[in-house]
Amino acid sequence: QAVRSDEDRALAGGGGYSQGRAVVVVVEDLNSFATAADDLAYQVKQLFPKALRLGGLTIRGSSVSSGYDDAVSWRVPVFIDWISV
């Protein structure tokens, strides 16, 4: 979800901007090794370093959250925060 804000004018180039968060969820079978999902989640995170520019978007940062199970799979969320001027 994108929201309008003027929180960090230096990052936005001095004007208004939109910002948001993308979520990538790495999913593995519940009975497989959780480390495989964790490793893949960290690989996804590394694809989105801070200040990476993708067209009109700039990545503000990315992070890996704690994994959790949903009774049939192991899930590890990766959060990717972005800004668009």
Coordinates of all heavy atoms in Angstrom, one line a residue:
Q1 N 0.8 -1.2 0.0 CA 0.0 0.0 0.0 C 0.9 1.2 0.0 O 1.8 1.3 0.8 CB -0.9 0.0 1.2 CG -1.7 1.2 1.4 CD -2.6 1.2 2.6 OE1 -2.5 0.3 3.4 NE2 -3.4 2.1 2.8
A2 N 0.6 2.1 -0.9 CA 1.4 3.4 -1.0 C 0.7 4.5 -0.2 O -0.5 4.5 -0.2 CB 1.5 3.8 -2.4
V3 N 1.5 5.3 0.5 CA 0.9 6.4 1.2 C 1.7 7.7 0.8 O 2.8 7.6 0.4 CB 1.0 6.2 2.7 CG1 0.1 5.1 3.2 CG2 2.5 6.0 3.2
R4 N 1.1 8.8 0.9 CA 1.7 10.1 0.6 C 2.3 10.7 1.8 O 1.6 10.7 2.9 CB 0.6 11.0 0.0 CG 1.2 12.2 -0.6 CD 1.8 11.9 -2.0 NE 2.3 13.1 -2.6 CZ 3.2 13.1 -3.5 NH1 3.6 12.0 -4.0 NH2 3.6 14.2 -4.0
S5 N 3.5 11.1 1.8 CA 4.2 11.7 2.9 C 5.3 12.6 2.5 O 5.8 12.5 1.4 CB 4.7 10.5 3.8 OG 5.4 11.0 4.9
D6 N 5.8 13.4 3.4 CA 7.0 14.2 3.2 C 8.0 14.0 4.4 O 8.6 14.9 4.9 CB 6.6 15.7 3.1 CG 5.8 15.9 1.9 OD1 6.1 15.4 0.8 OD2 4.8 16.7 2.0
E7 N 8.2 12.7 4.7 CA 9.0 12.4 5.9 C 10.5 12.6 5.7 O 11.1 13.1 6.6 CB 8.7 10.9 6.2 CG 9.5 10.3 7.3 CD 9.2 8.8 7.4 OE1 8.0 8.5 7.6 OE2 10.1 8.0 7.4
D8 N 11.0 12.3 4.6 CA 12.5 12.4 4.4 C 12.7 13.1 3.1 O 12.9 12.5 2.0 CB 13.1 11.0 4.4 CG 14.6 11.1 4.4 OD1 15.2 12.1 4.0 OD2 15.2 10.1 4.7
R9 N 12.8 14.5 3.1 CA 12.9 15.3 1.9 C 14.3 15.0 1.2 O 14.3 15.1 0.0 CB 12.8 16.7 2.2 CG 11.3 17.1 2.6 CD 11.2 18.6 2.7 NE 9.8 18.9 3.1 CZ 8.9 19.1 2.2 NH1 9.1 19.1 0.9 NH2 7.7 19.5 2.6
A10 N 15.3 14.7 1.9 CA 16.6 14.4 1.3 C 16.5 13.2 0.4 O 17.0 13.2 -0.7 CB 17.7 14.2 2.3
L11 N 15.9 12.2 0.9 CA 15.7 10.9 0.1 C 14.8 11.2 -1.1 O 14.9 10.6 -2.2 CB 15.2 9.8 1.0 CG 15.4 8.4 0.5 CD1 16.9 8.1 0.5 CD2 14.7 7.4 1.4
A12 N 13.8 12.0 -0.9 CA 12.8 12.3 -2.0 C 13.3 13.4 -3.0 O 12.5 13.7 -3.9 CB 11.5 12.7 -1.3
G13 N 14.4 13.9 -2.8 CA 14.9 15.0 -3.7 C 14.3 16.3 -3.4 O 14.3 17.2 -4.3
G14 N 13.7 16.5 -2.3 CA 13.2 17.8 -1.9 C 11.7 18.0 -2.0 O 11.1 18.9 -1.6
G15 N 11.0 17.1 -2.7 CA 9.6 17.2 -3.0 C 8.8 16.1 -2.3 O 9.3 15.4 -1.5
G16 N 7.5 16.1 -2.6 CA 6.7 15.0 -2.1 C 6.9 13.7 -2.7 O 7.6 13.7 -3.8
Y17 N 6.5 12.6 -2.2 CA 6.7 11.3 -2.7 C 5.7 10.3 -2.2 O 4.9 10.6 -1.3 CB 8.1 10.9 -2.4 CG 8.4 10.7 -0.9 CD1 8.1 9.5 -0.2 CD2 8.8 11.8 -0.1 CE1 8.4 9.4 1.2 CE2 9.1 11.7 1.2 CZ 8.8 10.5 1.9 OH 9.1 10.4 3.2
S18 N 5.7 9.1 -2.8 CA 4.9 8.0 -2.4 C 5.9 7.0 -1.8 O 7.0 6.9 -2.3 CB 4.1 7.4 -3.5 OG 3.2 8.3 -4.0
Q19 N 5.4 6.2 -0.8 CA 6.2 5.2 -0.3 C 5.4 4.0 0.0 O 4.1 4.1 0.1 CB 6.9 5.7 1.0 CG 6.0 6.0 2.1 CD 6.7 6.5 3.4 OE1 8.0 6.5 3.4 NE2 6.0 6.9 4.4
G20 N 6.0 2.8 0.2 CA 5.2 1.6 0.5 C 6.1 0.5 0.8 O 7.4 0.6 1.0
R21 N 5.5 -0.7 0.9 CA 6.3 -1.9 1.3 C 5.8 -3.1 0.5 O 4.6 -3.3 0.4 CB 6.0 -2.2 2.8 CG 6.6 -3.5 3.3 CD 6.4 -3.8 4.7 NE 7.6 -3.1 5.4 CZ 7.8 -3.1 6.7 NH1 6.9 -3.7 7.5 NH2 8.8 -2.5 7.2
A22 N 6.7 -3.8 -0.1 CA 6.4 -5.0 -0.8 C 6.8 -6.2 0.2 O 7.7 -6.0 0.9 CB 7.2 -5.1 -2.1
V23 N 6.1 -7.2 0.1 CA 6.3 -8.4 0.9 C 6.5 -9.6 0.0 O 5.6 -9.9 -0.7 CB 5.2 -8.7 2.0 CG1 5.6 -9.9 2.9 CG2 5.0 -7.4 2.8
V24 N 7.7 -10.3 0.2 CA 7.9 -11.5 -0.5 C 7.9 -12.6 0.5 O 8.6 -12.5 1.5 CB 9.3 -11.5 -1.3 CG1 9.6 -12.9 -1.9 CG2 9.3 -10.4 -2.3
V25 N 7.1 -13.6 0.4 CA 7.1 -14.7 1.4 C 7.7 -16.0 0.8 O 7.2 -16.5 -0.2 CB 5.7 -15.0 1.9 CG1 5.7 -16.1 2.9 CG2 5.0 -13.7 2.4
V26 N 8.8 -16.4 1.4 CA 9.4 -17.7 0.9 C 8.7 -18.8 1.6 O 8.6 -18.8 2.9 CB 10.9 -17.7 1.3 CG1 11.6 -19.0 0.9 CG2 11.6 -16.5 0.6
V27 N 8.3 -19.8 0.9 CA 7.5 -20.9 1.4 C 8.2 -22.3 1.2 O 8.6 -22.6 0.0 CB 6.1 -21.0 0.8 CG1 5.3 -22.1 1.4 CG2 5.4 -19.6 1.0
E28 N 8.4 -23.1 2.2 CA 8.9 -24.4 2.1 C 8.0 -25.4 2.8 O 7.2 -25.0 3.6 CB 10.3 -24.5 2.8 CG 11.4 -23.8 2.1 CD 12.0 -24.7 1.0 OE1 11.7 -25.9 0.9 OE2 12.6 -24.1 0.1
D29 N 8.0 -26.7 2.4 CA 7.3 -27.7 3.1 C 7.6 -27.7 4.6 O 8.8 -27.5 4.9 CB 7.5 -29.1 2.5 CG 7.0 -29.3 1.1 OD1 6.0 -28.6 0.8 OD2 7.5 -30.1 0.4
L30 N 6.6 -27.9 5.4 CA 6.8 -27.9 6.8 C 7.8 -28.9 7.3 O 8.6 -28.6 8.2 CB 5.5 -28.1 7.6 CG 5.5 -27.9 9.1 CD1 6.0 -26.5 9.4 CD2 4.1 -28.1 9.7
N31 N 7.9 -30.0 6.7 CA 8.8 -31.1 7.2 C 10.2 -31.0 6.6 O 11.1 -31.8 6.8 CB 8.3 -32.5 6.9 CG 7.0 -32.7 7.7 OD1 6.9 -32.2 8.8 ND2 6.1 -33.4 7.1
S32 N 10.5 -29.9 5.7 CA 11.8 -29.7 5.2 C 12.6 -28.9 6.2 O 12.1 -28.4 7.1 CB 11.8 -29.1 3.8 OG 11.2 -27.8 3.9
F33 N 13.9 -28.7 5.9 CA 14.7 -27.9 6.7 C 14.4 -26.4 6.7 O 14.3 -25.8 5.6 CB 16.2 -28.1 6.4 CG 16.7 -29.4 6.7 CD1 16.9 -30.4 5.7 CD2 17.0 -29.8 8.0 CE1 17.4 -31.6 5.9 CE2 17.4 -31.1 8.3 CZ 17.7 -32.0 7.3
A34 N 14.1 -25.8 7.8 CA 13.8 -24.4 7.8 C 14.9 -23.5 7.4 O 14.7 -22.4 6.8 CB 13.4 -24.0 9.3
T35 N 16.1 -24.0 7.5 CA 17.3 -23.2 7.1 C 17.3 -22.9 5.6 O 17.7 -21.9 5.1 CB 18.6 -23.9 7.5 OG1 18.6 -25.2 7.0 CG2 18.8 -23.9 9.0
A36 N 16.7 -23.8 4.8 CA 16.6 -23.6 3.3 C 15.7 -22.4 3.0 O 16.1 -21.5 2.2 CB 16.0 -24.8 2.6
A37 N 14.6 -22.3 3.7 CA 13.7 -21.1 3.5 C 14.4 -19.8 4.1 O 14.4 -18.8 3.4 CB 12.4 -21.3 4.2
D38 N 15.1 -19.9 5.2 CA 15.8 -18.8 5.7 C 16.9 -18.3 4.8 O 17.0 -17.1 4.5 CB 16.4 -19.1 7.1 CG 15.4 -19.4 8.2 OD1 14.2 -18.9 8.0 OD2 15.7 -20.0 9.2
D39 N 17.7 -19.3 4.3 CA 18.7 -18.9 3.3 C 18.2 -18.2 2.1 O 18.8 -17.2 1.6 CB 19.6 -20.2 2.9 CG 20.4 -20.7 4.1 OD1 20.6 -20.0 5.1 OD2 20.8 -21.9 4.0
L40 N 17.1 -18.8 1.5 CA 16.5 -18.2 0.3 C 16.0 -16.8 0.6 O 16.1 -15.9 -0.2 CB 15.4 -19.1 -0.2 CG 14.8 -18.6 -1.5 CD1 15.9 -18.4 -2.6 CD2 13.8 -19.6 -2.0
A41 N 15.4 -16.6 1.8 CA 14.9 -15.3 2.2 C 16.0 -14.3 2.3 O 15.8 -13.1 1.8 CB 14.1 -15.4 3.5
Y42 N 17.1 -14.7 2.8 CA 18.3 -13.7 2.9 C 18.8 -13.4 1.5 O 19.3 -12.3 1.2 CB 19.3 -14.2 3.8 CG 19.0 -13.9 5.2 CD1 18.4 -14.9 6.1 CD2 19.2 -12.6 5.8 CE1 18.1 -14.5 7.4 CE2 18.9 -12.3 7.1 CZ 18.3 -13.3 7.9 OH 17.9 -13.0 9.2
Q43 N 18.7 -14.4 0.6 CA 19.2 -14.2 -0.8 C 18.2 -13.1 -1.5 O 18.7 -12.3 -2.2 CB 19.2 -15.5 -1.6 CG 20.3 -16.4 -1.2 CD 20.2 -17.7 -2.0 OE1 19.5 -17.9 -2.9 NE2 21.0 -18.7 -1.5
V44 N 16.9 -13.2 -1.2 CA 16.0 -12.3 -1.8 C 16.3 -10.9 -1.2 O 16.3 -9.9 -1.9 CB 14.5 -12.7 -1.4 CG1 13.5 -11.6 -1.8 CG2 14.1 -14.0 -2.2
K45 N 16.5 -10.8 0.1 CA 16.9 -9.5 0.7 C 18.1 -8.9 0.1 O 18.1 -7.7 -0.2 CB 17.1 -9.7 2.2 CG 17.5 -8.5 3.0 CD 18.0 -8.8 4.4 CE 18.4 -7.6 5.1 NZ 19.6 -6.8 4.6
Q46 N 19.1 -9.7 -0.2 CA 20.3 -9.1 -0.8 C 20.1 -8.6 -2.2 O 20.8 -7.7 -2.7 CB 21.4 -10.2 -0.9 CG 21.9 -10.5 0.5 CD 22.9 -11.7 0.4 OE1 23.0 -12.4 -0.6 NE2 23.6 -11.9 1.5
L47 N 19.0 -9.0 -2.9 CA 18.6 -8.4 -4.2 C 18.1 -7.0 -4.1 O 18.0 -6.3 -5.2 CB 17.6 -9.3 -4.9 CG 18.0 -10.7 -5.3 CD1 16.8 -11.5 -5.8 CD2 19.1 -10.7 -6.3
F48 N 17.8 -6.5 -2.9 CA 17.2 -5.2 -2.7 C 17.9 -4.4 -1.7 O 17.4 -4.0 -0.6 CB 15.7 -5.3 -2.3 CG 14.9 -6.0 -3.4 CD1 14.7 -7.4 -3.3 CD2 14.4 -5.3 -4.4 CE1 13.9 -8.1 -4.3 CE2 13.6 -6.0 -5.4 CZ 13.4 -7.3 -5.3
P49 N 19.2 -4.0 -2.0 CA 20.0 -3.2 -1.0 C 19.4 -1.8 -1.0 O 18.8 -1.3 -1.9 CB 21.4 -3.2 -1.6 CG 21.2 -3.4 -3.1 CD 20.0 -4.3 -3.2
K50 N 19.7 -1.1 0.1 CA 19.3 0.3 0.3 C 19.9 1.1 -0.8 O 21.0 1.0 -1.2 CB 19.8 0.8 1.7 CG 19.3 2.2 2.0 CD 19.8 2.5 3.4 CE 19.2 3.9 3.8 NZ 19.6 4.2 5.2
A51 N 19.1 2.1 -1.3 CA 19.4 3.0 -2.3 C 19.4 2.4 -3.7 O 19.8 3.1 -4.7 CB 20.8 3.7 -2.0
L52 N 19.1 1.2 -3.9 CA 18.9 0.6 -5.3 C 17.8 1.3 -6.0 O 16.7 1.5 -5.4 CB 18.6 -0.9 -5.1 CG 18.3 -1.6 -6.5 CD1 19.5 -1.7 -7.4 CD2 17.7 -3.0 -6.2
R53 N 18.1 1.7 -7.2 CA 17.1 2.4 -8.0 C 16.5 1.4 -9.1 O 17.3 0.7 -9.8 CB 17.6 3.6 -8.7 CG 18.0 4.7 -7.8 CD 18.3 6.0 -8.5 NE 18.6 7.0 -7.5 CZ 17.7 7.9 -7.2 NH1 16.5 7.9 -7.7 NH2 17.9 8.9 -6.3
L54 N 15.2 1.3 -9.1 CA 14.5 0.4 -10.1 C 13.5 1.3 -10.8 O 12.3 1.5 -10.3 CB 13.8 -0.7 -9.3 CG 14.7 -1.7 -8.5 CD1 13.9 -2.6 -7.6 CD2 15.5 -2.5 -9.5
G55 N 13.8 1.9 -11.9 CA 13.0 2.8 -12.6 C 12.7 4.0 -11.7 O 13.7 4.7 -11.3
G56 N 11.5 4.3 -11.4 CA 11.1 5.4 -10.5 C 11.1 5.1 -9.1 O 10.8 6.0 -8.3
L57 N 11.5 3.9 -8.7 CA 11.5 3.5 -7.3 C 12.9 3.5 -6.7 O 13.9 3.1 -7.5 CB 11.0 2.1 -7.1 CG 9.5 1.9 -7.4 CD1 9.2 0.4 -7.2 CD2 8.6 2.8 -6.6
T58 N 13.1 3.8 -5.5 CA 14.3 3.7 -4.8 C 14.1 2.8 -3.5 O 13.1 3.1 -2.8 CB 14.9 5.1 -4.3 OG1 15.1 5.9 -5.5 CG2 16.2 4.9 -3.6
I59 N 14.9 1.8 -3.3 CA 14.7 0.9 -2.2 C 15.2 1.7 -0.9 O 16.4 2.2 -0.9 CB 15.5 -0.4 -2.4 CG1 15.0 -1.1 -3.7 CG2 15.4 -1.3 -1.2 CD1 13.5 -1.4 -3.7
R60 N 14.4 1.7 0.1 CA 14.8 2.4 1.4 C 15.4 1.4 2.3 O 16.2 1.7 3.2 CB 13.5 2.9 2.1 CG 12.9 4.1 1.3 CD 11.7 4.6 2.0 NE 12.2 5.4 3.1 CZ 11.4 5.9 4.0 NH1 10.1 5.8 3.9 NH2 11.9 6.6 5.0
G61 N 15.2 0.1 2.1 CA 15.8 -1.0 2.9 C 15.0 -2.2 2.8 O 13.9 -2.2 2.3
S62 N 15.6 -3.3 3.2 CA 14.9 -4.6 3.2 C 15.3 -5.4 4.4 O 16.3 -5.2 5.0 CB 15.2 -5.4 1.9 OG 16.6 -5.6 1.8
S63 N 14.4 -6.3 4.9 CA 14.6 -7.0 6.1 C 13.9 -8.4 6.0 O 12.9 -8.5 5.3 CB 14.2 -6.3 7.3 OG 12.8 -6.0 7.2
V64 N 14.5 -9.3 6.7 CA 13.9 -10.7 6.8 C 13.2 -10.8 8.2 O 13.9 -10.5 9.2 CB 15.0 -11.8 6.6 CG1 14.4 -13.2 6.8 CG2 15.6 -11.6 5.3
S65 N 12.0 -11.2 8.2 CA 11.3 -11.4 9.5 C 11.4 -12.8 10.0 O 11.9 -13.7 9.2 CB 9.8 -11.1 9.3 OG 9.1 -11.0 10.5
S66 N 11.0 -13.1 11.2 CA 11.0 -14.5 11.7 C 10.1 -15.4 11.0 O 9.0 -15.0 10.6 CB 10.6 -14.5 13.2 OG 11.5 -13.7 13.9
G67 N 10.6 -16.6 10.7 CA 9.7 -17.6 10.0 C 8.6 -18.1 10.9 O 8.7 -18.0 12.2
Y68 N 7.6 -18.6 10.3 CA 6.5 -19.2 11.1 C 5.8 -20.3 10.3 O 6.0 -20.4 9.0 CB 5.4 -18.1 11.4 CG 4.8 -17.5 10.2 CD1 3.6 -18.0 9.7 CD2 5.4 -16.4 9.5 CE1 3.0 -17.4 8.5 CE2 4.8 -15.9 8.4 CZ 3.6 -16.4 7.9 OH 3.1 -15.8 6.8
D69 N 5.1 -21.2 10.9 CA 4.4 -22.3 10.2 C 3.0 -22.0 10.1 O 2.4 -21.3 11.0 CB 4.7 -23.7 10.8 CG 4.1 -23.8 12.2 OD1 2.8 -24.1 12.2 OD2 4.8 -23.7 13.2
D70 N 2.3 -22.6 9.1 CA 0.9 -22.5 9.0 C 0.2 -23.8 8.9 O -0.8 -24.0 8.2 CB 0.5 -21.6 7.7 CG 1.0 -22.3 6.4 OD1 1.5 -23.4 6.5 OD2 0.7 -21.7 5.4
A71 N 0.8 -24.8 9.6 CA 0.3 -26.2 9.7 C 0.7 -27.0 8.5 O 0.7 -28.2 8.6 CB -1.2 -26.2 9.9
V72 N 1.0 -26.5 7.3 CA 1.4 -27.3 6.2 C 2.7 -26.8 5.5 O 3.3 -27.5 4.8 CB 0.3 -27.3 5.0 CG1 -0.9 -28.0 5.5 CG2 0.0 -25.9 4.6
S73 N 3.2 -25.6 5.9 CA 4.4 -25.0 5.3 C 5.1 -24.1 6.3 O 4.6 -23.7 7.3 CB 4.1 -24.3 4.0 OG 3.2 -23.2 4.3
W74 N 6.4 -23.8 6.0 CA 7.2 -22.9 6.8 C 7.3 -21.7 5.9 O 7.7 -21.7 4.7 CB 8.6 -23.5 7.1 CG 9.4 -22.6 7.9 CD1 10.5 -21.9 7.5 CD2 9.3 -22.3 9.3 NE1 11.1 -21.2 8.5 CE2 10.4 -21.4 9.6 CE3 8.4 -22.7 10.3 CZ2 10.5 -20.9 10.9 CZ3 8.6 -22.2 11.5 CH2 9.6 -21.3 11.8
R75 N 7.0 -20.5 6.5 CA 7.0 -19.2 5.7 C 8.0 -18.2 6.3 O 8.0 -18.1 7.6 CB 5.6 -18.7 5.7 CG 4.6 -19.6 5.0 CD 3.2 -19.1 5.1 NE 2.3 -19.9 4.3 CZ 1.9 -19.6 3.1 NH1 2.2 -18.5 2.5 NH2 1.1 -20.5 2.4
V76 N 8.7 -17.6 5.5 CA 9.7 -16.5 5.9 C 9.4 -15.3 5.1 O 9.7 -15.2 3.9 CB 11.1 -17.0 5.8 CG1 12.1 -15.9 6.3 CG2 11.4 -18.3 6.5
P77 N 8.9 -14.2 5.8 CA 8.6 -13.0 5.0 C 9.9 -12.1 4.9 O 10.7 -12.0 5.8 CB 7.6 -12.2 6.0 CG 7.2 -13.2 7.0 CD 8.3 -14.2 7.1
V78 N 9.9 -11.5 3.7 CA 11.0 -10.5 3.4 C 10.3 -9.2 3.1 O 9.4 -9.1 2.2 CB 11.8 -10.9 2.2 CG1 12.9 -9.9 1.9 CG2 12.4 -12.3 2.4
F79 N 10.6 -8.1 3.8 CA 10.0 -6.8 3.7 C 10.9 -5.9 2.9 O 12.1 -5.8 3.2 CB 9.7 -6.2 5.0 CG 8.7 -7.0 5.9 CD1 9.2 -7.6 7.0 CD2 7.4 -7.1 5.5 CE1 8.3 -8.4 7.8 CE2 6.5 -7.8 6.3 CZ 7.0 -8.5 7.4
I80 N 10.3 -5.3 1.8 CA 11.1 -4.4 1.0 C 10.4 -3.0 1.0 O 9.3 -2.9 0.4 CB 11.2 -5.0 -0.5 CG1 11.8 -6.4 -0.4 CG2 12.0 -4.1 -1.4 CD1 11.5 -7.2 -1.7
D81 N 11.1 -2.1 1.6 CA 10.5 -0.7 1.7 C 11.0 0.1 0.5 O 12.2 0.1 0.2 CB 10.9 -0.1 3.0 CG 10.3 -0.8 4.2 OD1 9.1 -1.2 4.1 OD2 11.0 -1.0 5.2
W82 N 10.1 0.9 -0.1 CA 10.5 1.7 -1.3 C 9.9 3.1 -1.2 O 9.0 3.3 -0.4 CB 10.0 1.0 -2.6 CG 8.5 0.7 -2.6 CD1 7.9 -0.4 -2.2 CD2 7.5 1.6 -3.0 NE1 6.5 -0.3 -2.3 CE2 6.2 0.9 -2.8 CE3 7.5 2.9 -3.5 CZ2 5.0 1.5 -3.1 CZ3 6.2 3.5 -3.8 CH2 5.0 2.8 -3.6
I83 N 10.5 3.9 -2.0 CA 10.0 5.3 -2.1 C 10.0 5.6 -3.6 O 10.8 5.2 -4.4 CB 10.9 6.2 -1.3 CG1 10.4 7.7 -1.4 CG2 12.3 6.2 -1.8 CD1 11.2 8.6 -0.4
S84 N 9.0 6.5 -4.0 CA 8.9 6.9 -5.4 C 8.7 8.4 -5.4 O 7.8 8.9 -4.8 CB 7.8 6.2 -6.1 OG 7.6 6.7 -7.4
V85 N 9.6 9.1 -6.2 CA 9.5 10.5 -6.3 C 8.6 10.9 -7.4 O 8.6 10.4 -8.5 CB 10.8 11.2 -6.4 CG1 10.7 12.7 -6.6 CG2 11.7 10.8 -5.3

